Structure formats: C-alpha cells, structure tokens
Amino acid sequence: MTLKQVTLISLAETAKFYTSLCLGTVAFLSVFAFLFLIPFVVDPAINSLLADYEPEPVTCVATEHVYAEGMRNCSWASCREGCTREATRCHQILVNYSRLPFRDWRPTASFHWDVADTRFLINAEGCGYPPSVNCSEFSRQYGYQTAGTPFPCYYSRAYPEMVIARYSWDDTLRHLVLSIAIPNLLFAASIGLLSYWYCPGCGRACHKYVHHFPDDDEDYDDDPY
C-alpha cells in the first residue's frame, strides 16, 4: 500500500469520525427540539384543530375591559406575554359575537348577538412571545378605545364560548406538520446513516469471535494427546 493510499484512508476515516460526531449531535438535538416543541407548538396546534375554529372571521364587539394586577385578580387573561409564567398583570376583555361573517355586517337596530359576555383571547393559547404578541398593543386595539366598535374574530364550533382574535387553519396545520416532521426526519436520517456505517462493522466483529467456537455437530476428541 502506497503512502498516498494510506493518506487517503486516514483522511476518509477522519472525515467519517467527524461526520459521525455531527450526526450524533443532530440526533441528540432533534430529540430535545421535539420535546421542546410539544408544549409550545404541537399541543396548542392540536388543541386548535380540535376546537374547530370558524375559518372565516365573524363579528365581535367588546363589552368590558378590565386591567388587573396581582395573581389573585388575574385568574385568566386575554393576553399574556409568556406562556410558562403566571400573569401578575392582565387585561381581561369580554365580547359579544355573532356568527354573521364580519364582511356581511351592517349596523341595524335589531342586530342579534349569538353569544354575550364571553372571554376574548388573543389566540388559542391566550399567550405568546414578543414581537408576535404584544399585550399592550392588543389591549389598545380591542379594549377601551374600541368598545362598541365591531371587529373580526374567530369562534370555536366545538366550544362556542371560546373566541380568539387570530387564527389561520393553514398556518396551524403547517406548524404542526413541520414541528413533527423536521425533528423526526433529522433523527431518523442521522440514526439511519450511523447504523449503516457502524452496524456492519459490529456484525463482522461478532462474526469473527463466533468462529473461535466449534459447531454443535463437530466431533470432539476427549484426549488432547
């Protein structure tokens, strides 16, 4: 074997080692990423799909807006910045809503609201993280200054008392599929390639030791001499 061949083999083994190290790291991180995404993306997305929100916005109007402080007074919140901590300051907004699509709404004296004084949330979880969720901006948009002014909202067909400000069936489904598919595909691809590289080697090593033992049908000579 020439020096050039030895060098190429050494480079190949080094590349294989570092690639294996990277693949192992990817597999390890994929597991933790998936576990992290379960409470923050997967579970809320599944709950949103099960709630069966009306995909077309209907007509809402705010009836009450309360700003409260203290955990005792913030038993619920229309908006929370952060989904893992208890709210110590909260905006609580109640709304009336009609199943009439918002685009068809016209002011009339005999307008009927299908559900009155129900809790209004910014999204299906009622929480999120800046910059996508800004509770001060949310309260200004739907609270005191807009009381009595109709605005679009989404209600749950499975739980009619649930009303939210933001919803997209396509985005919810896409986030659910991506959060499940990407970590699991990365994990499967990493483990599959590592198994392809190293399991045949383990098999050959085990096969080598098996040949040190005689077969069951082999004749034995009790007298070694």
Side-chain angles (χ1 to χ4, degrees), residues 9-66:
I9 292 174
S10 177
L11 289 175
E13 291 296 328
T14 302
K16 184 177 180 180
F17 169 77
Y18 284 108
T19 303
S20 302
L21 185 63
C22 291
L23 290 173
T25 303
V26 169
F28 181 78
L29 293 178
S30 297
V31 172
F32 277 90
F34 182 65
L35 294 176
F36 175 81
L37 289 171
I38 287 176
F40 289 100
V41 178
V42 177
D43 188 57
I46 292 175
N47 289 336
S48 295
L49 295 177
L50 291 177
D52 192 20
Y53 286 100
E54 174 65 39
E56 184 177 3
V58 297
T59 307
C60 273
V61 63
T63 59
E64 183 178 356
H65 177 195
V66 175

Side-chain angles (χ1 to χ4, degrees), residues 63-141:
T63 59
E64 183 178 356
H65 177 195
V66 175
Y67 173 76
E69 296 185 359
M71 295 180 60
R72 178 176 299 180
N73 298 323
C74 292
S75 58
W76 71 278
S78 293
C79 177
R80 284 191 296 134
E81 293 178 4
C83 297
T84 58
R85 62 182 180 84
E86 295 292 336
T88 56
R89 299 179 180 180
C90 60
H91 296 273
Q92 299 173 342
I93 300 176
L94 300 180
V95 298
N96 296 342
Y97 79 83
S98 169
R99 293 184 176 88
L100 178 73
F102 181 71
R103 57 182 172 81
D104 296 333
W105 178 82
R106 299 291 184 276
T108 59
S110 59
F111 190 79
H112 171 70
W113 299 104
D114 293 299
V115 176
D117 294 326
T118 190
R119 296 177 181 181
F120 180 61
L121 306 180
I122 186 171
N123 52 33
E125 301 81 48
C127 61
Y129 297 89
S132 61
V133 171
N134 186 317
C135 292
S136 298
E137 181 180 343
F138 170 79
S139 63
R140 286 194 297 269
Q141 183 176 359

